[in-house]
Amino acid sequence: MKRVMIGGMRHESNMFNPVYTDLNAFKLRRILYGREIVNERRNTNTETGGFIDILDKSGIEMVPSICGQAMPAGSVAENAFVEFLSVMLDTLDCNTVDGILLSLHGAMVGTEHDDGEGYILQRIRDKVGVEIPISVTLDFHATLTPLMIETADFLTVYRTYPHMDMADRGREAASVLIRIMNGDIKPVMAFSKQPMLIGPPHNVLPHDYPMKHVMDRAREIERDVPGIIAACPAQGFMQQDVPHAGTGVVVTADNDLKIAQKYADELGDMMFSYRKKYIVDLPNPEETIKLAMNSGNPPVAIADSGDNIGGGTPGDGTALLHEILKQGVDSAFVPLWDPDAAQEAAKVGVGAQITLEVGGKSDSLYGPPVKITGIVRTITDGVFLNREGKGYWAGVKDNMGLSVRIDVGKITVVLNSISTSPNNLMHANAIGVYPEDYRMSVCKGGLAFREAYKPPAANSYIQSDTPGYSSSNLNNFTYKKIKRPMFPLDEI
Ligand SMILES: [Zn+2]
């Protein structure tokens, strides 16, 4: 019986967030060890859920190692790499395997490694040699590097954003691995890079033009060109100051590097040719709230794009809450990461009135804190299940930490102790909040929250130019290592 090691380490590292992501940050979202991976991820919409589905059906023995991801934040500390790699390498020491499946991100940067995934793949490749195939899933926001291409046998990248095809990509990576192990194919990968930093809240959704042209062409190439195994555009991650920053395309062909390179170049040129069309002008917080108040199509979901938790920010920005209160908005839902305020509010208990300062404490960029007076309505430990059938991380248990709902008239403020991105509506529903009941909701996200915030939770969207580490105004950041010229920082 053939044996395959499965594992994963995922993080989107925002290098402009000064708070490092250490091992503890991975533990907060739970690290799964050994059989826990199979028990917790089977039948979930995750990459490992997809691996398990295919391996179960193929009668291949699973050798689970370690799997975990931390909420995006600053660069990953060395103690996290040490833990994940030591378990993966020990697993390989103790077991003979015929192949390896890894769920990685592609935009992970370590305090000691510009290319976190390349480093992991290199260490594993050094351990197993060239004979054992390694098949990998990456996020659409992966920053492709030569080391990743060199060390893996197959890389596949999400095709959706909001990311909904995690399990599908896991199935794809596992299916390709099995074909390699059976000797049916000999994949070779070629890639192209473009000098372009794009991302949320730019106009970059793969199901909207102009990116849809690129994604449609990639599917056409996979379908129509004999020998092409996968064609994957990757958007990269804007808040990364690394030598290989920028968009990229990886194309895998069966034993034909020339054809792989031809289509990687074609798709890369195509993606780059639309560069000016990705850029959008965004309203400032004051204009945003005016627009939301006057919207003829409520409920409105407002992207707090500078404080996009999924893009590595703290989630305590108060720019929009400040305007909501100042402009006398009649109905709004505003979640904030603020563990101290959550503690303070939990102490007074359900039903009590409280006056306290919320948010704006992590960095002066996100402040100042806002004083509110309201009634404590709900206190929870913040543990919830991502329930929606095929939704973001469906089937996975998540944790917002101690969370408190305070109603300030018809403005509901929810204080979380662990930053939680709004990509599954359960982040609100779990504390009794239904965004469809409000005129507007503040979403600490760039674009991914739209999968959760669709009718009836939201009928329209406004992307707001709020301050923070995930701002799309790249002139707010000082880049030192990226190659220049780089669009849109430089005119190309
Ligand atoms: Zn992503």
Side-chain angles (χ1 to χ4, degrees), residues 71 118 379 484:
M71 197 48 93
I379 304 170
R484 305 298 285 258

Side-chain angles (χ1 to χ4, degrees), residues 102-267:
L102 293 176
S103 157
L104 303 177
H105 187 289
M108 179 164 66
V109 176
T111 52
E112 332 267 319
H113 314 284
D114 278 342
D115 174 6
E117 287 79 7
Y119 171 66
I120 289 177
L121 286 165
Q122 177 78 73
R123 293 285 308 271
I124 292 177
R125 179 58 78 202
D126 288 348
K127 164 71 72 184
V128 299
V130 293
E131 296 302 319
I132 304 298
I134 304 175
S135 183
V136 178
T137 58
L138 296 175
D139 191 279
F140 189 51
H141 296 104
T143 295
L144 297 173
T145 69
L147 189 57
M148 293 179 203
I149 308 289
E150 231 171 77
T151 47
D153 291 272
F154 179 64
L155 296 169
T156 185
V157 181
Y158 296 165
R159 289 149 187 214
T160 58
Y161 178 34
H163 310 316
M164 299 305 295
D165 60 335
M166 291 99 141
D168 285 341
R169 296 288 73 73
R171 288 186 193 98
E172 182 191 6
S175 304
V176 169
L177 183 80
I178 291 169
R179 288 165 71 199
I180 304 172
M181 291 189 321
N182 290 341
D184 297 337
I185 49 171
K186 278 198 175 123
V188 287
M189 291 190 288
F191 81 124
S192 64
K193 292 289 294 185
Q194 299 75 45
M196 172 167 74
L197 290 173
I198 52 170
H202 290 148
N203 181 25
V204 290
L205 291 172
H207 52 272
D208 276 348
Y209 295 104
M211 193 59 86
K212 189 174 183 331
H213 289 297
V214 183
M215 303 307 280
D216 286 351
R217 177 66 185 138
R219 300 294 78 78
E220 203 174 83
I221 291 166
E222 284 173 341
R223 192 187 62 224
D224 297 344
V225 181
I228 295 290
I229 294 166
C232 302
Q235 211 169 80
F237 186 53
M238 296 192 292
Q239 283 80 18
Q240 281 194 333
D241 186 19
V242 292
H244 295 290
T247 60
V249 179
V250 53
V251 174
T252 308
D254 187 9
N255 207 18
D256 189 342
L257 194 56
K258 222 171 125 191
I259 200 168
Q261 191 65 61
K262 175 182 164 187
Y263 289 105
D265 290 341
E266 181 195 313
L267 287 167

